[in-house]
Amino acid sequence: VRPLVEDLHDWLKAERSRMSKHNPVAKAINYMFEEPGRWEAFTRFLDDGRICLTNNAAERALRGVALGRKAWLFAGSARGGERAAFMYSLIVTAKMNDVDPQTWLADVLAKLPATTPSRLPDLLPWNWKTK
């Protein structure tokens, strides 16, 4: 992939030199090259195989936030919004720990009344196990 990225770099520079500075495409190309380190950050994946070429995982993680955005405007109050944010963080935490949020939440809500404060950590998504 490195030769393709190097060719892209050269092509972008060449195309940029032919455009007016007011051209929207030129502005987009300038964005990549004007800020020090931006091109290096963009090409970091060439040297580190752990870096994904796309942001699809991040986009998927935020999809629920985007879909619920309008609904959350009607939380009723700041306190209602805080509760919604709290619940959303619990659900995302469960997902991040490979736990089905609905199963986990149903189990935790059923066990919570009989759980002593010292046993509460057992109900957290990273400690929770289906029984």
Side-chain angles (χ1 to χ4, degrees):
V1 173
R2 186 177 302 275
L4 293 173
V5 172
E6 290 168 357
D7 288 347
L8 174 64
H9 180 275
D10 296 342
W11 181 82
L12 287 170
K13 288 284 192 174
E15 290 299 311
R16 172 59 191 97
S17 68
R18 295 183 205 150
M19 297 177 192
S20 161
K21 69 179 182 177
H22 302 291
N23 182 320
V25 175
K27 289 179 181 180
I29 294 172
N30 286 342
Y31 176 83
M32 184 61 83
F33 295 116
E34 284 179 350
E35 182 73 26
R38 191 168 283 143
W39 181 260
E40 290 75 20
F42 171 70
T43 59
R44 192 166 294 134
F45 72 93
L46 295 171
D47 299 314
D48 188 345
R50 297 172 297 170
I51 298 174
C52 186
L53 296 176
T54 70
N55 68 344
N56 289 343
E59 292 285 342
R60 276 192 305 278
L62 292 173
R63 183 173 292 134
V65 173
L67 293 175
R69 187 176 348 177
K70 286 185 182 176
W72 297 332
L73 292 173
F74 302 101
S77 65
R79 192 169 177 200
E82 290 170 5
R83 288 179 184 158
F86 179 79
M87 290 304 296
Y88 186 71
S89 66
L90 287 175
I91 290 167
V92 171
T93 301
K95 288 179 181 179
M96 290 175 65
N97 285 278
D98 295 321
V99 171
D100 175 53
Q102 187 172 2
T103 304
W104 169 74
L105 197 51
D107 186 59
V108 167
L109 290 174
K111 290 179 180 174
L112 203 52
T115 302
T116 61
S118 65
R119 302 303 300 175
L120 285 176
D122 296 339
L123 301 178
L124 295 171
W126 50 88
N127 294 330
W128 181 82
K129 304 280 187 258
T130 55
K131 307 232 178 346

